[in-house]
Amino acid sequence: MSNESLANLLKEERRFAPPADLATAANVTEAAYAQADADRLGFWAEQARRLNWAVEPTETLDWTNPPFAKWFADGKLNVAYNCVDRHVEAGNGDRVAIHFEGEPGDSRAITYAELKDEVSRAANALTELGVRAGDRVAVYLPMIPEAVVAMLACARVGAAHSVVFGGFSADAVASRIQDADAKLVITSDGGYRRGKPSALKPAIDAAVAKCPQVEHVLVVRRTGQDTAFTEGRDVWWHDVVGRQSAEHTPQAFDAEHPLFILYTSGTTGKPKGILHTSGGYLTQAAYTHHAVFDLKPETDVYWCTADIGWVTGHSYIVYGPLANGATQVIYEGTPDTPHQGRFWEVVQKYGVTILYTAPTAIRTFMKWGDDIPAKFDLSSLRVLGSVGEPINPEAWIWYRKHIGGDRCPIVDTWWQTETGAMMISPLPGVTETKPGSAQRALPGISATVVDDEANEVPNGGGGYLVLTEPWPSMLRTIWGDDQRFIDTYWARFEGKYFAGDGAKKDDDGDIWLLGRVDDVMLVSGHNISTTEVESALVSHPSVAEAAVVGANDETTGQAIVAFVILRGSASETDTLVAELRNHVGATLGPIAKPKRILPVQELPKTRSGKIMRRLLRDVAENRAVGDVTTLADSSVMDLIQSRLPAAGSDD
Ligand code: ATP
Ligand code: MG
């Protein structure tokens, strides 16, 4: 079944060669793979030289106490200096670092020289507020430039930041502040969302009431709305940061000095506090941003649409792009405010050349219609990226055609909060891309697919995605819980990092991500991946989005249950449901036919837009739904459950 269905997914043999002009001038060529294969550590030592070190490292990797890695351990650097000051010193102070586009339409351009001044002032303010190297600072902000400044100011003084997504509840923030033991919280009065100011400070007030160790709350004024202030504890950013000197001498820290803690999205369960450190993390963030996006800092305008609260925002808004001296766009709001063409208007306005977004967004744009992007001039784009979930071939092709003008290569980048930076991805000037496949480990990265007994599967086989060698931006531990770090990632396969994802190799050895192994379904003795069935459903013209789970079933072990969002024009009929079942059967084989197909209005997603299949499994198996604290909209589950009287009767 598995090989057959993969062959089916591949049957059209759609492949796209890199554009000739891009290939000719690419930052990274095919030779990088061979170079890294011949001397992996030498390769990374060379990449570390992209950074400016106060003390150059002489050691590359210390793996004497696995799984606790040290990279470039005898080197010293300041991460913020690398992201800001050195570009000014190199004569690029007038280059725009950030084009900020607020949701209401306000905008600001911040040059590297201005960013340096602002980060220096913020660093002086942190010092005045008692923050010292080794402390933790929680950041709870909307997508405004101060979020970037706050993170860099922490890095500059050697305090680890813990950014918490600005949409999380007071309880979720409180537990993260407590877990990291943060002494300062940086927030704002609010931010703009869906055309209205939305308050943030009240959640911090409620959270901090449970966190006595917090000494100060530093508040950015973004919306100007009425905001309660606690005398002595709360201070305004424009007062405290505003009055500081723009001179601040950055101190160099050890390469292994903590840079940040970040909690995973919570798609599969309780979030884990992932610890990243400085030198190795910045090396890989900078290298991958340079290689995978082919960034030309003098001419490109880069835009990553992720929130700063996710790892994508950390590595590919803050650290990678700024270490590389990029010019980038930061957008505050939602893609449909004030209209569904807002993203494309932003691309047109700033002449964006590189766009990095998520499959969930792409599927939403597909649902809204081709005519919306068609109204805007997207001819500046040259590279498109995808991250966060497997991108189904249908969405990939749509992205290429309607956003990329059939001209831009798509890089489908697989990585995790834990990996810190991209691990598996095409290179835009090298790889002949295949819609739906992340394809190949990047130079210097060792990834493969193994079976239950940890044997590498041959081409054409499927199993578990593992990383077989340490990499510079790897997580160093789970904050405060080394044992959980070992148990979660290193216990399943001896000596290998197990990522939690299922994957296959095709006949060329290219890697296809198949979703989380917890989600793989076992139907009558056959392993079937949720991703494959979802892709098959979405390839039907009536289906906009699909989420598939395996529910316990007396006869088949597990039965496939599919939740689908229909496209605007399609209406829900028994005929359509039967047609969809047959369509999956024809695409993947009869055994993959869903037993039940439930049309729904919405799917449960995390705040980062990923489908939470475990909640759907709870529904399909008639259980109370599990932890919903990372769910974007809790009413979605009520809506879906209200359909359930139909359970079992669809077949
Ligand atoms: P948690 O670990 O708390 O359940 P999460 O895994 O969703 O949350 P992240 O670290 O944000 O948290 O996401 C990483 C995961 O996202 C990967 O393990 C993988 O399942 C998925 N993913 C990311 N990029 C891709 C991609 N390009 N293709 C397929 N899957 C991807
Ligand atoms: Mg995960």
Side-chain angles (χ1 to χ4, degrees):
M1 162 65 204
S2 304
N3 295 350
E4 223 173 87
S5 62
L6 184 63
N8 268 313
L9 271 179
L10 288 168
K11 72 177 170 229
E12 290 177 48
E13 291 286 330
R14 287 173 294 192
R15 300 188 181 199
F16 298 91
D21 52 340
L22 203 158
T24 317
N27 285 352
V28 175
T29 63
E30 178 75 38
Y33 293 102
Q35 187 207 339
D37 282 348
D39 179 8
R40 192 173 56 89
L41 296 182
F43 171 83
W44 284 119
E46 187 180 316
Q47 301 317 322
R49 279 182 225 118
R50 301 177 170 279
L51 307 182
N52 196 299
W53 296 83
V55 177
E56 292 274 344
T58 63
E59 295 166 20
T60 301
L61 169 66
D62 176 352
W63 192 232
T64 51
N65 180 30
F68 300 95
K70 291 184 182 152
W71 282 86
F72 313 118
D74 62 344
K76 286 181 191 290
L77 78 172
N78 186 285
V79 168
Y81 172 85
N82 273 277
C83 292
V84 183
D85 307 44
R86 65 169 173 154
H87 305 310
V88 180
E89 289 169 14
N92 295 319
D94 291 338
R95 182 184 296 164
V96 172
I98 296 172
H99 285 294
F100 170 67
E101 176 80 9
E103 200 191 70
D106 56 322
S107 60
R108 264 161 86 186
I110 301 168
T111 63
Y112 274 95
E114 290 164 342
L115 187 62
K116 174 174 179 279
D117 289 352
E118 191 66 4
V119 170
S120 298
R121 282 192 204 99
N124 285 324
L126 293 188
T127 304
E128 183 183 310
L129 293 171
V131 175
R132 299 287 172 264
D135 288 345
R136 268 85 50 213
V137 173
V139 175
Y140 185 74
L141 283 170
M143 285 294 290
I144 54 176
E146 285 79 2
V148 177
V149 172
M151 291 162 75
L152 290 172
C154 288
R156 198 172 182 98
V157 302
H161 52 72
S162 165
V163 181
V164 181
F165 174 62
F168 276 143
S169 67
D171 281 347
V173 189
S175 68
R176 286 164 176 77
I177 292 175
Q178 280 157 359
D179 189 67
D181 194 23
K183 67 195 290 193
L184 174 74
V185 180
I186 307 179
T187 188
S188 70
D189 50 358
Y192 289 95
R193 250 187 114 84
R194 300 193 194 284
K196 297 191 293 281
S198 145
L200 284 181
K201 178 77 168 26
I204 291 301
D205 290 336
V208 170
K210 297 183 203 161
C211 304
Q213 78 277 23
V214 172
E215 293 166 11
H216 289 289
V217 178
L218 179 57
V219 189
V220 176
R221 188 152 70 201
R222 166 63 181 145
T223 60
Q225 64 202 112
D226 279 343
T227 299
F229 249 56
T230 300
E231 200 59 44
R233 185 195 73 186
D234 298 349
V235 289
W236 285 110
W237 176 285
H238 54 263
D239 283 342
V240 181
V241 175
R243 69 166 176 258
Q244 304 294 326
S245 151
E247 296 300 316
H248 179 271
T249 308
Q251 182 192 335
F253 297 102
D254 288 347
E256 285 297 338
H257 189 78
L259 181 62
F260 64 84
I261 300 165
L262 181 64
Y263 294 82
T264 57
S265 317
T267 311
T268 52
K270 186 171 173 279
K272 301 168 279 282
I274 302 302
L275 176 69
H276 283 288
T277 59
S278 303
Y281 169 80
L282 195 62
T283 295
Q284 194 173 329
Y287 172 69
T288 51
H289 183 259
H290 159 87
V292 174
F293 294 124
D294 191 46
L295 178 88
K296 308 283 197 274
E298 300 79 16
T299 48
D300 275 317
V301 178
Y302 165 84
W303 182 22
C304 166
T305 70
D307 191 276
I308 212 101
W310 312 124
V311 73
T312 307
H314 283 55
S315 303
Y316 298 105
I317 292 178
V318 182
Y319 293 110
L322 295 177
N324 290 338
T327 294
Q328 71 177 317
V329 172
I330 290 183
Y331 171 58
E332 178 184 28
T334 50
D336 54 354
T337 306
H339 56 80
Q340 293 180 333
R342 186 68 189 269
F343 269 28
W344 318 123
E345 188 177 71
V346 169
V347 168
Q348 175 178 288
K349 173 172 175 185
Y350 294 101
V352 171
T353 58
I354 304 169
L355 177 69
Y356 194 27
T357 193
T360 180
I362 298 165
R363 288 190 295 263
T364 303
F365 299 136
M366 287 174 76
K367 204 159 48 180
W368 289 346
D370 309 349
D371 54 316
I372 294 171
K375 288 186 207 128
F376 298 89
D377 178 5
L378 307 181
S379 61
S380 55
L381 289 169
R382 67 180 197 94
V383 178
L384 302 177
S386 171
V387 63
E389 283 183 296
I391 176 165
N392 47 298
E394 214 62 26
W396 195 105
I397 294 284
W398 186 91
Y399 192 28
R400 182 178 159 94
K401 180 163 175 212
H402 294 282
I403 307 305
D406 268 332
R407 144 192 105 245
C408 306
I410 296 180
V411 288
D412 173 9
T413 62
W414 178 88
W415 59 294
Q416 309 177 294
T417 308
E418 294 89 337
T419 69
M422 297 166 183
M423 302 294 282
I424 304 176
S425 170
L427 288 176
V430 179
T431 315
E432 183 168 83
T433 52
K434 301 175 182 173
S437 174
Q439 294 188 278
R440 187 173 174 188
L442 288 168
I445 300 299
S446 308
T448 191
V449 181
V450 299
D451 65 16
D452 275 314
E453 273 80 54
N455 303 309
E456 206 167 319
V457 304
N459 288 354
Y464 307 89
L465 181 67
V466 294
L467 304 170
T468 53
E469 296 288 351
W471 62 101
S473 64
M474 64 196 284
L475 76 166
R476 298 305 195 256
T477 189
I478 292 178
W479 180 253
D481 200 344
D482 287 348
Q483 193 56 47
R484 189 174 175 210
F485 168 61
I486 296 170
D487 295 344
T488 307
Y489 305 107
W490 301 92
R492 179 73 173 78
F493 301 107
E494 164 106 54
K496 296 183 173 72
Y497 171 92
F498 172 47
D501 289 337
K504 283 181 183 174
K505 289 188 194 169
D506 67 17
D507 292 336
D508 304 322
D510 281 325
I511 294 175
W512 295 69
L513 275 303
L514 294 179
R516 300 152 194 287
V517 293
D518 307 346
D519 292 337
V520 168
M521 304 171 291
L522 192 64
V523 182
S524 304
H526 297 268
N527 277 319
I528 300 178
S529 92
T530 51
T531 302
E532 286 175 305
V533 181
E534 287 161 6
S535 279
L537 283 163
V538 176
S539 72
H540 188 283
S542 298
V543 178
E545 274 205 81
V548 163
V549 298
N552 287 330
D553 185 273
E554 284 175 7
T555 40
T556 53
Q558 278 188 319
I560 302 177
V561 180
F563 297 80
V564 296
I565 300 179
L566 297 177
R567 273 182 191 277
S569 56
S571 69
E572 180 185 326
T573 60
D574 290 350
T575 337
L576 177 60
V577 167
E579 189 183 317
L580 292 179
R581 293 187 65 229
N582 291 335
H583 176 73
V584 175
T587 314
L588 297 176
I591 193 142
K593 271 192 187 179
K595 179 160 188 200
R596 288 160 59 199
I597 294 185
L598 298 169
V600 292
Q601 296 300 315
E602 283 298 337
L603 292 169
K605 290 185 181 165
T606 61
R607 304 267 177 168
S608 54
K610 300 182 196 205
I611 298 169
M612 291 170 86
R613 290 182 192 73
R614 65 182 165 84
L615 299 180
L616 293 174
R617 205 155 45 224
D618 291 342
V619 169
E621 296 183 345
N622 283 314
R623 263 195 308 275
V625 294
D627 181 18
V628 292
T629 52
T630 57
L631 188 65
D633 174 2
S634 49
S635 67
V636 168
M637 288 317 293
D638 300 337
L639 243 160
I640 291 173
Q641 271 176 313
S642 68
R643 291 196 45 90
L644 268 198
S649 62
D650 297 61
D651 190 52

